Amino acid sequence: MASVNPFNLSDSEEEAERRPNETVHTERSPSEGAPGPPPGNPFSPPPDAEPPTLLLSSNRTSPSGEGSVSVAATSAMAGTAETRISVDGIAAQLLRDQYILTALEFHTELLEAGRELPRLRDYFSNPGNFERQSGTPPAKDQVLGPGGPLPGGTNLYYRAGSISTLDSLDFARYSDDGNRESDERVAVLEFELRKAKETIQALRANLTQAAESEVTSQERKNFKSSPEIQEPIRPLEKRALNFLVNEYLLKHDHKLSSITFSDENDDQDFELWDDVGLNIPKPPDLLHLYRNCGVSVPSPRDTVDVSVGVDFGDLPGNCIAQDPPKKPDLLHQVCVSLFVQELEYQISLLTNEKQSLAEQIKKLQRCVPECMFMLIKLSPAFQQALLSFCRMCSDSRLGAEVSRIADSEESVMLMLGRCLPHIVPNVLLAKREELIPLILCTACLHPEPKERDQLLHILFNLIKRPDDEQRQMILTGCVAFARHVGPTRVEAELLPQCWEQINHKYPERRLLVAESCGALAPYLPKEIRSSLVLSMLQQMLAEDKADMVREAVVKSLGIIMGYIDDPDKYSQGFELMLLSLGDPSERVVSAVHQVFIPAFAAWTTELGTLQTALIPSLLARIEKLLMQGEHGLDEHKLHVFLSALQSLTPPLFAVVLQSAPFTSRAKVTGDIPAIEVTRFPRPASPLQDVATIIGSREMLSALLLLYDYQLEHEGTTGWDSLLWVVNQLLPQLIEIVGRINVTSSTCVHEFSRFFWRLCRTFGKIFTNTKVKPQFQEILRLSEENVDVSAGNDILTKATVPIYATGVLTCYNQDEDRKLLVGFLEDVMTTLSLSYAPLDSLKASFVELGANPVYHELLLTVLWYGVVHTSALVRCTAARMFELVLRGMSEALVDRRAAPALITLCSGPEFSVRISTIPAFGTIMETVTQKELLERVKMQLASFLEDPQYQDQHSLHMEIIRTFGRVGPNAEPRFRDEFVLPHLHKLALANNSQTVESKRIDIATQLFEAYSALSCCFISEEVMVNHFLPGLRCLRADMEQLSPEHEVRKHSCVSMSIASSLVGEDAKTKFLSKMGQLTTSGAMLANVFQRKK
């Protein structure tokens, strides 16, 4: 198979027929090498010179895709005439001798013949057979060209004739059909262009090999005078080594050395390997070369040329690498110089010709559509006149754009930049998000800054009031734009668009700005992120009136805190946290806990200020708030600070785990047990999940195992972060708890939830060994600790309910419940026997009673008080029933609470019986079961009708107070048949009371009760028989009161008159009129004056 000579192209079949017996012994260079020189060349080798041989690497094929048949393969084929060899045997022999190209050509011919050999198919379909470096580098003094060796050991590439051009083509042999003629001309020009490219590639290869052999005479003289010096370095080798050294310096961060090295070799481009040598593969880096320098390399004689299969032993002597270099003569230097000049000239000619051919191809391609429709020959004037009847318009803006089709990427971008501003206003608002990709792509690639700014302005103003989905689409586009253009253009082009709309009248647009600041934070310069963007968000947080905008601002601030790296911004971040926590909107505060505080805590953890600055600052503000609130605590601010501390608990625990002595021993293996679902409190967001903060649930599980073992067996020695929690944080918190008002249910609840989350987060072992002992040391259950006069009143403070509800309820196992029951029983006994206030116990029962899970437990504690030997304890237990009955199931009330109350009523002490009345009233108010209500009514009737209670003033006071509290909410039948008649009896009996103080007390309580019941619907019969007579008795008592009760007296009179108006319309009108007046006695008197 003969190769096409790129220097002397001849596709003529006649020429091939004139040389039917000519034997061609030409091989290809790595880039379409040329065959031997023409006879007339003055540098031709002698006739008896050996034929040239070219070494090819095992993984390089000729550009044309054809290989050269080796001599060995030919002889093997020829032998088939004598001995029949199987096709598979031939393939095996070719592969075994590494005749890869021959095997590939053999495989191709078999496929064309319809026969596929499995051995060759499997070999060439496996990429692993070609992923190794093979081949032998040329010898150092080898100068071998496709033309063969020159005299004196010098080889030279020969000049070929010029290629055919467009002028030499004979278009006469083509058809007159316009379509076919144009298509074939395009095909011919494409073929000529491809041949020109192949020729340029061959010339580049020859130039590279010529540069390899160029060595200065001075270097060769030095080598000859100093035999111990190695062979002088060639220019190509020097440039290659320079490139590898510079690459090594850059990879290992020796940037200054790299810059200096580049300055010293300013004639070389270190960013492009092709600058070293054309068609030369890039070798491995210096580190790889160093590591493989000691590996033995097979002998060159063991390597054969893949393309032709020639052994090194068959090559001329000057081709062996081990032969000493011969001194080049003057003729060789002149030949090389002339050849290089000739190659450069040929390259310039071919480059110009390639460009010319490419332009002609473009012109022909544009002419093809016109030629397809020109079926007859017309004069240009006639043709133009004929086409004028087509209705085309090119004088308008749109017509000019339509008639000028873009022919390059840049022109496309320019066209889109001109057209998009006119397209956007005419697209429906609901579909404008479809334009976002087009706008962003144009804004990214457009060369004009002014046009890019206009396009981004269109993007942010694309939709007047974008909804959530449309904003997400715009944000996605902005992020893609930022990734593509980099931080500089984001700062210069995107941020101004956000700044312009920061005060837009539509909240949806301001919301887009707030969300954009967070989405673009990772792609902004750090200086802008911590200054301009932070200031923008701070302004929007303080000034924007829309809740959804401030919510988005808080989330974006959290993202900013995750990327900020300026420690000086800590104080600003802390103030922003407090400002956002004090926001009146619940959704804004929720966003603070979900995003901002976790991100801010992560930053402070990196700074090392979580335990030294952030948490201590919050504790200091709580203490200051308690000191200022002795006469009125600001519960909202307390809630703000405590909620922030609560959100900081997961990051604090993560710091404790990550700084523990065992952290380095934590390994993620397959046998680590999974974390229990109830191990940690439910996080407000994924950012508050300890597993997310640590990195993974597997790592957290491994750390928790070591954490529990360390606490249980090895202690906390050397564990600074945990020691800070135990020795500083907990004592300060317990001290703060002792200073809050125990009657403030809000404060008790907030601190209780905080301690509950703290103990659940740090675990059961930590709670049992570190938290409970500190509380128990303070809450020593003895009478000395309730001596208010001596200052030992810790059991009357909020420490009791917070310890009971925040620490002892963290875990709900049997031993934990027993500990809680025992603590409450001891507190109830101690406070009762010490005659101390019961506020701390009441707060504990109220907090626990809010959760139905603890109703059974509380009844167990109260039963302990019911059966206690001390009347004081039983009295306390009776009063506690009132607090736990609300929200309790009727079955539990009927089964346990009511029997316990009746048991208390059967005792001999009147104080205990009286203490049960509020609990019976609560049952009347909350229970609908008739049997239970009848039992309660019988018990209350015994209090009112039993003669032994006739003189029990405190009992009557308690009953009237209870009737006034529960009457409006009790069952109407029970109110009409029991409450109002007994109130009438009590009012009537009070008229005959001789002790004025008792009469005033009863009258006052009756007034409160009737005031509450006057708003209820009362039947006419009950009104006439019980309500009005009772009011008359009350008025009689009120008239006997001192002047300071004048207002109540007039109110009683007004109530009597209103009640006498049985008609509901008149009654409602009167009460509404009374509601518009003040409580002044003079004004009330004017109401009842007759009009004159």
Side-chain angles (χ1 to χ4, degrees):
M1 181 182 299
S3 301
V4 178
N5 185 356
F7 295 100
N8 189 13
L9 288 177
S10 177
D11 295 329
S12 172
E13 298 177 359
E14 292 80 7
E15 182 180 354
E17 293 175 357
R18 287 196 301 269
R19 298 179 296 174
N21 299 323
E22 184 178 353
T23 302
V24 181
H25 296 285
T26 60
E27 277 72 33
R28 299 176 182 269
S29 69
S31 300
E32 288 284 328
N41 195 308
F43 302 111
S44 301
D48 56 346
E50 295 184 2
T53 306
L54 181 63
L55 296 178
L56 296 177
S57 61
S58 62
N59 60 352
R60 182 182 292 271
T61 60
S62 61
S64 62
E66 300 177 358
S68 300
V69 183
S70 66
V71 179
T74 306
S75 61
M77 292 294 183
T80 57
E82 302 173 1
T83 303
R84 185 73 176 180
I85 301 177
S86 66
V87 176
D88 187 70
I90 295 173
Q93 182 66 29
L94 290 175
L95 294 178
R96 185 163 49 250
D97 294 343
Q98 289 294 301
Y99 299 139
I100 306 300
L101 293 180
T102 305
L104 177 61
E105 187 169 335
F106 185 38
H107 177 54
T108 305
E109 292 177 350
L110 288 176
L111 290 177
E112 292 176 353
R115 300 171 59 190
E116 183 179 24
L117 200 59
R119 180 188 300 274
L120 294 177
R121 179 197 61 200
D122 296 341
Y123 182 86
F124 289 108
S125 63
N126 183 9
N129 295 327
F130 310 99
E131 291 180 354
R132 64 185 185 276
Q133 293 187 1
S134 59
T136 305
K140 295 181 179 179
D141 61 341
Q142 179 181 355
V143 184
L144 185 62
L150 288 173
T154 304
N155 295 314
L156 186 63
Y157 299 91
Y158 295 96
R159 179 177 180 182
S162 62
I163 63 175
S164 300
T165 62
L166 186 63
D167 298 332
S168 62
L169 295 177
D170 183 11
F171 287 101
R173 58 193 181 100
Y174 292 101
S175 171
D176 290 337
D177 189 355
N179 296 341
R180 181 177 178 183
E181 178 181 354
S182 300
D183 292 343
E184 291 184 355
R185 289 183 65 192
V186 171
V188 170
L189 289 174
E190 289 178 348
F191 173 76
E192 293 293 333
L193 181 60
R194 185 171 65 254
K195 286 300 181 181
K197 291 180 179 178
E198 293 174 356
T199 304
I200 292 172
Q201 189 73 4
L203 291 173
R204 291 171 65 182
N206 295 339
L207 182 60
T208 299
Q209 293 189 8
E212 282 184 327
S213 62
E214 183 180 355
V215 181
T216 62
S217 58
Q218 183 63 34
E219 290 176 338
R220 294 188 179 275
K221 291 180 180 179
N222 296 338
F223 173 70
K224 182 176 181 180
S225 60
S226 302
E228 67 276 3
I229 302 177
Q230 296 183 356
E231 181 180 357
I233 187 171
R234 300 173 182 172
L236 181 65
E237 294 172 340
K238 179 180 179 181
R239 297 174 70 85
L241 288 176
N242 288 347
F243 187 90
L244 295 177
V245 169
N246 184 73
E247 181 184 50
Y248 170 80
L249 293 175
L250 288 177
K251 282 185 177 180
H252 294 81
D253 293 332
H254 302 304
K255 296 182 179 179
L256 294 178
S257 302
S258 172
I259 294 173
T260 305
F261 188 76
S262 301
D263 293 339
E264 293 175 349
N265 297 275
D266 55 355
D267 59 338
Q268 184 173 348
D269 184 4
F270 287 102
E271 296 182 359
L272 185 64
W273 170 256
D274 289 343
D275 184 69
V276 174
L278 303 176
N279 294 352
I280 300 298
K282 182 179 178 297
D285 56 16
L286 287 181
L287 181 61
H288 186 272
L289 294 176
Y290 172 76
R291 290 175 176 173
N292 296 336
C293 64
V295 180
S296 59
V297 182
S299 172
R301 295 184 179 275
D302 296 336
T303 305
V304 299
D305 182 88
V306 174
S307 178
V308 296
V310 179
D311 292 336
F312 270 84
D314 300 333
L315 295 176
N318 63 330
C319 296
I320 306 302
Q322 287 76 8
D323 292 342
K326 298 181 179 180
K327 180 179 179 181
D329 53 9
L330 181 61
L331 177 62
H332 168 69
Q333 297 180 10
V334 173
C335 290
V336 170
S337 177
L338 292 175
F339 181 65
V340 169
Q341 295 178 5
E342 180 65 23
L343 287 178
E344 293 176 348
Y345 177 71
Q346 288 286 341
I347 289 175
S348 63
L349 290 179
L350 291 173
T351 301
N352 296 333
E353 190 171 359
K354 181 188 71 172
Q355 295 176 354
S356 175
L357 291 173
E359 293 177 358
Q360 293 184 36
I361 289 175
K362 288 183 179 180
K363 292 180 179 179
L364 288 175
Q365 289 174 343
R366 288 194 293 266
C367 293
V368 166
E370 297 182 5
C371 296
M372 292 175 62
F373 297 100
M374 293 299 297
L375 301 180
I376 59 176
K377 292 185 178 181
L378 303 174
S379 66
F382 185 86
Q383 179 183 353
Q384 184 175 1
L386 181 62
L387 293 177
S388 65
F389 286 93
C390 298
R391 298 180 60 86
M392 293 186 296
C393 176
S394 60
D395 54 352
S396 64
R397 179 195 61 83
L398 185 59
E401 295 290 350
V402 172
S403 62
R404 182 177 54 192
I405 300 300
D407 57 355
S408 65
E409 295 180 0
E410 183 178 359
S411 58
V412 170
M413 291 299 106
L414 294 175
M415 181 268 294
L416 289 174
R418 293 190 302 267
C419 294
L420 278 174
H422 301 279
I423 296 174
V424 171
N426 299 304
V427 178
L428 293 175
L429 288 175
K431 295 296 181 180
R432 284 192 180 179
E433 63 267 19
E434 300 291 340
L435 294 171
I436 294 176
L438 199 60
I439 295 173
L440 285 168
C441 182
T442 309
C444 284
L445 303 177
H446 202 285
E448 295 296 331
K450 185 177 180 180
E451 295 295 330
R452 296 199 300 265
D453 182 75
Q454 182 183 7
L455 290 169
L456 292 176
H457 181 76
I458 291 174
L459 175 67
F460 274 82
N461 294 273
L462 190 63
I463 304 168
K464 180 187 291 186
R465 307 183 74 165
D467 57 23
D468 186 61
E469 184 177 354
Q470 292 168 336
R471 287 196 312 273
Q472 290 181 7
M473 200 62 60
I474 295 175
L475 288 177
T476 304
C478 289
V479 171
F481 178 87
R483 289 175 179 170
H484 187 274
V485 303
T488 304
R489 281 185 59 183
V490 174
E491 174 190 354
E493 299 177 12
L494 267 184
L495 274 187
Q497 303 298 331
C498 297
W499 181 261
E500 288 178 2
Q501 305 207 15
I502 195 173
N503 293 316
H504 200 278
K505 65 177 181 179
Y506 293 129
E508 291 84 0
R509 299 281 277 276
R510 302 197 304 272
L511 180 60
L512 177 62
V513 173
E515 293 174 340
S516 299
C517 291
L520 296 175
Y523 310 99
L524 289 169
K526 60 181 181 179
E527 299 83 4
I528 297 299
R529 193 164 50 220
S530 58
S531 58
L532 177 60
V533 179
L534 191 61
S535 301
M536 290 171 58
L537 293 174
Q538 184 175 7
Q539 177 183 343
M540 297 182 72
L541 179 63
E543 299 178 359
D544 205 292
K545 297 181 180 179
D547 293 350
M548 62 179 180
V549 176
R550 296 198 307 276
E551 179 187 10
V553 167
V554 167
K555 292 180 179 179
S556 295
L557 280 173
I559 298 174
I560 293 291
M561 291 301 160
Y563 286 92
I564 202 168
D565 57 356
D566 186 1
D568 296 335
K569 297 296 180 180
Y570 166 78
S571 59
Q572 185 177 0
F574 183 76
E575 294 301 327
L576 286 172
M577 181 186 72
L578 296 181
L579 177 63
S580 55
L581 282 172
D583 195 278
S585 173
E586 287 294 330
R587 59 191 298 179
V588 176
V589 176
S590 176
V592 177
H593 292 291
Q594 292 177 2
V595 183
F596 185 86
I597 291 181
F600 189 59
W603 181 42
T604 56
T605 300
E606 183 180 353
L607 296 177
T609 58
L610 178 65
Q611 294 175 305
T612 60
L614 182 54
I615 296 178
S617 298
L618 290 173
L619 292 175
R621 278 168 169 75
I622 293 176
E623 290 181 337
K624 183 179 179 181
L625 190 65
L626 293 175
M627 292 176 61
Q628 296 174 350
E630 294 179 356
H631 303 289
L633 180 64
D634 190 344
E635 295 182 351
H636 176 69
K637 284 188 177 180
L638 181 64
H639 168 73
V640 167
F641 297 144
L642 273 179
S643 63
L645 278 177
Q646 187 169 303
S647 296
L648 290 174
T649 303
L652 177 62
F653 183 64
V655 170
V656 170
L657 288 181
Q658 292 172 334
S659 61
F662 53 77
T663 304
S664 59
R665 305 198 307 267
K667 304 295 181 184
V668 178
T669 57
D671 56 350
I672 296 179
I675 303 173
E676 297 180 5
V677 179
T678 58
R679 170 61 181 83
F680 293 99
R682 184 185 300 274
S685 74
L687 296 178
Q688 287 192 8
D689 190 352
V690 181
T692 304
I693 300 173
I694 293 295
S696 66
R697 298 195 68 84
E698 294 77 12
M699 177 56 70
L700 177 60
S701 179
L703 289 173
L704 286 177
L705 290 176
L706 297 173
Y707 169 77
D708 292 338
Y709 181 83
Q710 180 85 13
L711 285 178
E712 193 171 3
H713 298 93
E714 300 181 7
T716 59
T717 304
W719 198 347
D720 295 336
S721 57
L722 187 63
L723 288 175
W724 179 85
V725 176
V726 175
N727 298 331
Q728 298 185 40
L729 179 61
L730 283 176
Q732 191 173 1
L733 285 171
I734 294 173
E735 181 184 358
I736 291 174
V737 163
R739 295 164 54 186
I740 67 173
N741 187 4
V742 68
T743 60
S744 174
S745 59
T746 303
C747 295
V748 172
H749 177 73
E750 292 289 342
F751 274 98
S752 174
R753 300 309 300 165
F754 170 74
F755 271 96
W756 187 87
R757 295 186 70 89
L758 180 70
C759 294
R760 290 288 299 185
T761 302
F762 278 80
K764 187 173 184 179
I765 298 177
F766 178 85
T767 303
N768 292 335
T769 60
K770 306 299 179 185
V771 181
K772 290 180 181 179
Q774 294 198 32
F775 273 98
Q776 292 168 359
E777 178 66 23
I778 298 174
L779 297 172
R780 291 189 299 272
L781 297 174
S782 62
E783 295 186 7
E784 291 91 6
N785 280 349
V786 291
D787 188 0
V788 179
S789 61
N792 299 327
D793 56 348
I794 189 66
L795 289 182
T796 63
K797 293 184 177 180
T799 310
V800 170
I802 291 172
Y803 175 60
T805 61
V807 178
L808 297 181
T809 61
C810 287
Y811 300 94
N812 203 25
Q813 298 179 358
D814 291 340
E815 60 271 17
D816 302 309
R817 297 176 70 88
K818 290 179 180 179
L819 183 61
L820 177 59
V821 169
F823 176 74
L824 292 176
E825 291 174 353
D826 293 341
V827 170
M828 181 172 61
T829 304
T830 305
L831 292 177
S832 301
L833 297 178
S834 304
Y835 297 93
L838 302 177
D839 294 332
S840 60
L841 186 64
K842 289 180 180 179
S844 302
F845 272 78
V846 170
E847 187 69 21
L848 291 172
N851 189 349
V853 175
Y854 296 106
H855 286 172
E856 289 274 5
L857 184 144
L858 293 176
L859 289 175
T860 302
V861 175
L862 292 177
W863 183 254
Y864 167 82
V866 169
V867 298
H868 200 277
T869 57
S870 173
L872 296 174
V873 177
R874 294 200 304 272
C875 186
T876 300
R879 294 193 177 278
M880 294 300 110
F881 271 103
E882 179 189 0
L883 303 176
V884 300
L885 287 174
R886 297 183 184 276
M888 188 177 290
S889 65
E890 293 188 7
L892 196 57
V893 173
D894 185 35
R895 181 167 49 88
R896 297 193 62 181
L901 289 172
I902 294 174
T903 302
L904 289 172
C905 292
S906 62
E909 295 85 359
F910 283 104
S911 61
V912 177
R913 299 178 187 180
I914 295 172
S915 299
T916 62
I917 293 175
F920 283 121
T922 302
I923 294 177
M924 291 168 49
E925 188 180 8
T926 57
V927 174
T928 59
Q929 189 177 347
K930 292 183 179 181
E931 295 80 1
L932 184 56
L933 287 176
E934 287 296 328
R935 290 161 60 189
V936 172
K937 186 167 68 171
M938 290 175 58
Q939 185 62 50
L940 291 175
S942 67
F943 288 148
L944 293 169
E945 299 171 1
D946 195 332
Q948 63 178 334
Y949 301 114
Q950 292 298 324
D951 298 329
Q952 293 296 325
H953 177 74
S954 59
L955 183 142
H956 295 158
M957 290 280 293
E958 194 66 49
I959 286 181
I960 296 173
R961 186 183 301 111
T962 302
F963 282 174
R965 176 174 58 87
V966 304
N969 301 319
E971 187 182 9
R973 180 182 175 186
F974 178 78
R975 180 178 62 240
D976 294 343
E977 296 180 359
F978 186 82
V979 174
L980 289 176
H982 282 92
L983 282 178
H984 178 202
K985 291 179 181 179
L986 290 171
L988 184 62
N990 195 49
N991 289 153
S992 59
Q993 177 63 255
T994 57
V995 182
E996 184 178 356
S997 60
K998 293 183 178 180
R999 186 177 181 183
I1000 294 175
D1001 292 341
I1002 294 295
T1004 302
Q1005 291 299 326
L1006 284 172
F1007 177 79
E1008 298 295 341
Y1010 275 110
S1011 298
L1013 292 170
S1014 64
C1015 297
C1016 301
F1017 174 79
I1018 302 173
S1019 64
E1020 182 177 354
E1021 180 182 359
V1022 176
M1023 179 72 70
V1024 173
N1025 296 332
H1026 299 292
F1027 193 82
L1028 287 178
L1031 280 178
R1032 294 190 189 101
C1033 295
L1034 177 59
R1035 183 176 61 180
D1037 289 334
M1038 298 298 286
E1039 290 177 351
Q1040 303 296 325
L1041 295 178
S1042 56
E1044 60 266 17
H1045 298 286
E1046 183 181 2
V1047 174
R1048 289 187 178 182
K1049 181 177 67 175
H1050 287 289
S1051 299
C1052 182
V1053 172
S1054 303
M1055 200 167 18
S1056 301
I1057 297 173
S1059 300
S1060 64
L1061 303 173
V1062 181
E1064 283 302 313
D1065 294 338
K1067 182 179 177 180
T1068 304
K1069 184 184 296 184
F1070 175 81
L1071 291 177
S1072 63
K1073 184 68 175 177
M1074 292 293 298
Q1076 299 173 6
L1077 300 175
T1078 64
T1079 57
S1080 172
M1083 294 187 67
L1084 285 172
N1086 294 332
V1087 175
F1088 303 105
Q1089 291 181 356
R1090 187 185 300 270
K1091 290 185 178 181
K1092 297 180 181 179

